Amino acid sequence: MNAPAPLSRQMLNLAEPTDDGWFDRVRDHLDTILIDHAHLEKRAASTALSMIFRYTGRAGLARQLSAVVQEEMDHFSRMLDVLETRGVELIRLEPAPYASRLVKAVRPQEPYTFMDKLLVAGLIEARSCERFAILSENVEDPELAAFYRELFETEAMHYTLYTNLARDHFSKEEVKERLLELAKIEVEALRAGGSIPRLHSF
Ligand SMILES: [Fe+2]
Ligand SMILES: [Fe+2]
């Protein structure tokens, strides 16, 4: 199996890459990371579905996001398989403050709410994508490593899909500027979780 291609920060528009120590910090909590990841897939499906409800009529959005909903639900059910194989139960888990911090950065007036929701969703996909690449390179179970390699690719496409949707509806300059601002907030949101073992902690 080939290792994932090195991720460039520019490619994912992340303001800072994950440091080399992250996997070492979560290594002994892998089951917790997997539970957190299962919840994340469910939330990703829910985010895409809620945007379909809220932004009905925006050209191309429903079709593109319905594919995302289906893919995220597929990831969720495959995560349930992963947990079952390992004898781990999908328990409730206090989420990292990451997503709620990012949601707070969404501007309350339209059409900026729409732009920010797309870009925040894109950044969450980008960070997840980066973390999945790290997991694929480091987990010992070869099946799990292959699964993460596959997810890395899908989430990279989701990142592109969300940011392209923003560019379809707003000027490229506006999107670029706001993406830079939100990418900085994304790193602060990541730090807010401290070192609790979560997919989106520091
Ligand atoms: Fe996913
Ligand atoms: Fe995704």
Side-chain angles (χ1 to χ4, degrees):
M1 191 188 59
N2 298 325
L7 288 166
S8 88
R9 258 188 284 168
Q10 244 125 22
M11 182 180 122
L12 289 168
N13 277 300
L14 293 170
E16 267 183 46
T18 292
D19 73 292
D20 291 340
W22 178 75
F23 186 76
D24 287 332
R25 294 195 290 277
V26 302
R27 185 189 293 275
D28 294 337
H29 308 278
L30 191 57
D31 287 344
T32 306
I33 294 293
L34 295 173
I35 295 168
D36 188 43
H37 177 188
H39 288 301
L40 172 79
E41 296 292 357
K42 180 163 52 81
R43 281 196 296 272
S46 167
T47 298
L49 187 58
S50 73
M51 290 198 75
I52 294 173
F53 275 98
R54 181 153 174 174
Y55 298 108
T56 305
R58 297 270 184 172
L61 183 132
R63 181 164 299 283
Q64 292 189 62
L65 288 187
S66 73
V68 175
V69 174
Q70 289 179 42
E71 280 164 10
E72 305 295 20
M73 282 315 289
D74 175 60
H75 295 167
F76 175 62
S77 71
R78 289 169 71 192
M79 281 311 295
L80 293 179
D81 294 342
V82 168
L83 293 178
E84 200 178 294
T85 306
R86 299 170 70 93
V88 178
E89 226 182 297
L90 180 73
I91 53 165
R92 271 179 195 280
L93 213 56
E94 184 71 32
Y98 178 74
S100 58
R101 287 281 178 120
L102 277 167
V103 166
K104 271 191 205 142
V106 171
R107 289 169 291 179
Q109 62 285 92
E110 294 290 5
Y112 306 111
T113 309
F114 179 50
M115 185 206 282
D116 287 1
K117 275 175 179 278
L118 290 169
L119 296 181
V120 161
L123 283 166
I124 295 175
E125 295 286 347
R127 183 63 71 184
S128 306
C129 171
E130 187 212 33
R131 296 273 159 113
F132 294 160
I134 294 170
L135 287 166
S136 80
E137 287 164 0
N138 287 283
V139 293
E140 279 169 23
D141 176 349
E143 239 177 85
L144 191 59
F147 178 55
Y148 274 119
R149 165 74 209 182
E150 184 198 327
L151 287 191
F152 153 80
E153 283 166 12
T154 322
E155 309 305 0
M157 284 192 289
H158 289 169
Y159 160 73
T160 307
L161 186 149
Y162 276 116
T163 46
N164 282 346
L165 269 174
R167 288 183 199 102
D168 287 346
H169 292 90
F170 300 92
S171 79
K172 284 189 176 55
E173 275 314 302
E174 240 180 320
V175 169
K176 190 176 166 191
E177 199 181 309
R178 186 60 180 153
L179 196 50
L180 279 173
E181 286 169 5
L182 287 170
K184 286 185 194 143
I185 295 171
E186 192 270 344
V187 174
E188 288 161 21
L190 208 55
R191 289 218 171 89
S195 55
I196 58 162
R198 296 290 185 273
L199 205 52
H200 294 128
S201 63
F202 201 60

